[in-house]
Amino acid sequence: MNGATSVFVSDVDFSFWLIFIISALCLVGITGFVIFSIIKYNRKNNPEPTHIEGHTGLEIVWTVIPTILVMFIFYFGMKGFIKMRSVPENAMEIQVDAGMWWWKFTYPNGLEQTTGQGLTVPVDTPIYLPLHSVDVIHSFYIPAFRVKMDVVPKAEGEKLNYTWFEAGKPGDYDLFCAEYCGLNHAQMLSKVHVLSQEDYDAWFAEASKAQAKLKSESPGKALLISKGCIACHSTDGSKLIGPSLKGLIGKTETVLTDGAERTITVDDTYLRRSLNEPAADIVKGFQPLMPPLPLTPQEVDDLIQYIHELSEETAE
Ligand code: CUA
């Protein structure tokens, strides 16, 4: 594949240069003709105004030539577009989820990777990416691959938007959100790691094993990563978009409930309510940004358990 970073590069770049060169020629040609006319027909060179009648031949020329040019542009643009929308049969599927302000990549075996870890794929393999947003419109953008597609929420009965690519060269490439999606839009900066097939197989086995281990040893921590919570809630006490989860148990907080301030002590009841209805009590000094998450009662228990563990670490 002549060393291009992805299978779309040649088509997209060809269309770009085609349009760029046609535009440049038109700019030079039209500007040149305007300057020529200004000089040739100014009052000094042409004291008697020249009366010009219509010219059928000329009109046909300036209708036919632009039509041919735009048909050329349409042909090459459409050719590249059809390729981008036609996913090869043998493509490997990786589900992409986006939220404020994180990415999640889910592999067929359930392995999940987040913004900080990036999307890891094997080289020379078509990758099919169904795109799903849990909140607002995001845009999945990998400039080096010439891939850019809107990530929208899914309504009942609708099909997911999707994109695909086939990387042609191992390396790390930028992956980010190209649709302004709120305060921390810039935080949706991630990487695509393209590995050789052997490196990919080794990575995949290792990452799957590590995730299974984390899930069995600390299900709450695994959830915190996979649900994207850590994009807004730190576990080390530092303040992000939301309150840190460290040392929360027993802490006294001022919260806003239905617009009225009240003081609470963080306990399991409060945490359970906040996990199930994030907008119910907003800690003073924070914005009501957290979306309601579809969590099972077991998942809520696991998260609360982990928040307890984080508080015990502080006490030591
Ligand atoms: Cu997501 Cu910008």
Side-chain angles (χ1 to χ4, degrees), residues 99 101 137-139 177-181 185 188:
W101 291 275
I137 302 176
H138 303 273
S139 179
C177 179
E179 178 84 48
Y180 182 67
C181 53
H185 157 70
M188 295 183 74

Side-chain angles (χ1 to χ4, degrees), residues 159-272:
K159 272 172 76 180
L160 279 180
N161 198 2
Y162 66 91
T163 191
W164 77 278
F165 66 75
E166 181 180 325
K169 214 158 58 175
D172 293 339
Y173 306 93
D174 287 331
L175 181 170
F176 52 95
C177 179
E179 178 84 48
Y180 182 67
C181 53
L183 191 63
N184 281 27
H185 157 70
Q187 204 173 291
M188 295 183 74
L189 175 62
S190 187
K191 287 272 181 203
V192 186
H193 309 290
V194 178
L195 304 177
S196 67
Q197 190 65 50
E198 303 88 83
D199 288 351
Y200 174 80
D201 291 339
W203 169 84
F204 186 72
E206 189 56 41
S208 302
K209 218 168 77 189
Q211 181 176 286
K213 184 161 175 268
L214 182 64
K215 270 192 174 151
S216 67
E217 284 174 3
S218 180
K221 187 175 180 184
L223 274 171
L224 210 65
I225 295 168
S226 77
K227 296 283 177 191
C229 316
I230 47 170
C232 300
H233 299 282
S234 80
T235 55
D236 62 1
S238 56
K239 188 180 163 180
L240 300 176
I241 296 297
S244 176
L245 302 177
K246 187 176 183 180
L248 263 189
I249 306 294
K251 202 172 167 190
T252 310
E253 291 277 21
T254 306
V255 299
L256 222 60
T257 309
D258 295 326
E261 272 187 26
R262 63 188 186 109
T263 305
I264 53 102
T265 302
V266 178
D267 55 13
D268 288 7
T269 315
Y270 169 79
L271 289 176
R272 186 161 282 118

Side-chain angles (χ1 to χ4, degrees), residues 21-233:
I21 289 166
I22 290 174
S23 305
L25 291 176
C26 287
L27 176 72
V28 171
I30 294 168
T31 311
F33 185 70
V34 168
I35 293 170
F36 165 80
S37 301
I38 289 171
I39 295 167
K40 176 149 193 210
Y41 295 103
N42 67 15
R43 194 188 287 190
K44 206 162 68 198
N45 293 334
N46 193 50
E48 281 296 308
T50 314
H51 184 70
I52 299 171
E53 284 292 324
H55 190 300
T56 312
L58 203 56
E59 286 187 21
I60 288 173
V61 167
W62 76 44
T63 306
V64 171
I65 291 180
T67 304
I68 292 171
L69 289 180
V70 294
M71 289 316 283
F72 254 104
I73 294 173
F74 173 76
Y75 173 78
F76 288 107
M78 197 63 196
K79 186 170 153 255
F81 179 74
I82 289 172
K83 188 164 162 187
M84 284 177 167
R85 298 313 284 165
S86 313
V87 186
E89 290 270 317
N90 60 339
M92 172 177 138
E93 180 174 333
I94 301 175
Q95 166 78 36
V96 176
D97 288 279
M100 293 154 91
W101 291 275
W102 47 265
W103 296 104
K104 187 171 79 178
F105 311 108
T106 311
Y107 293 72
N109 73 341
L111 171 66
E112 292 172 329
Q113 296 284 287
T114 53
T115 317
Q117 295 160 315
L119 171 63
T120 303
V121 296
V123 74
D124 294 331
T125 306
I127 311 287
Y128 167 55
L129 304 150
L131 305 169
H132 173 246
S133 165
V134 301
D135 41 48
V136 298
I137 302 176
H138 303 273
S139 179
F140 180 85
Y141 187 29
I142 311 171
F145 294 177
R146 313 292 190 263
V147 164
K148 187 183 192 186
M149 188 52 68
D150 273 5
V151 185
V152 294
K154 181 176 157 350
E156 196 75 42
E158 276 178 2
K159 272 172 76 180
L160 279 180
N161 198 2
Y162 66 91
T163 191
W164 77 278
F165 66 75
E166 181 180 325
K169 214 158 58 175
D172 293 339
Y173 306 93
D174 287 331
L175 181 170
F176 52 95
C177 179
E179 178 84 48
Y180 182 67
C181 53
L183 191 63
N184 281 27
H185 157 70
Q187 204 173 291
M188 295 183 74
L189 175 62
S190 187
K191 287 272 181 203
V192 186
H193 309 290
V194 178
L195 304 177
S196 67
Q197 190 65 50
E198 303 88 83
D199 288 351
Y200 174 80
D201 291 339
W203 169 84
F204 186 72
E206 189 56 41
S208 302
K209 218 168 77 189
Q211 181 176 286
K213 184 161 175 268
L214 182 64
K215 270 192 174 151
S216 67
E217 284 174 3
S218 180
K221 187 175 180 184
L223 274 171
L224 210 65
I225 295 168
S226 77
K227 296 283 177 191
C229 316
I230 47 170
C232 300
H233 299 282

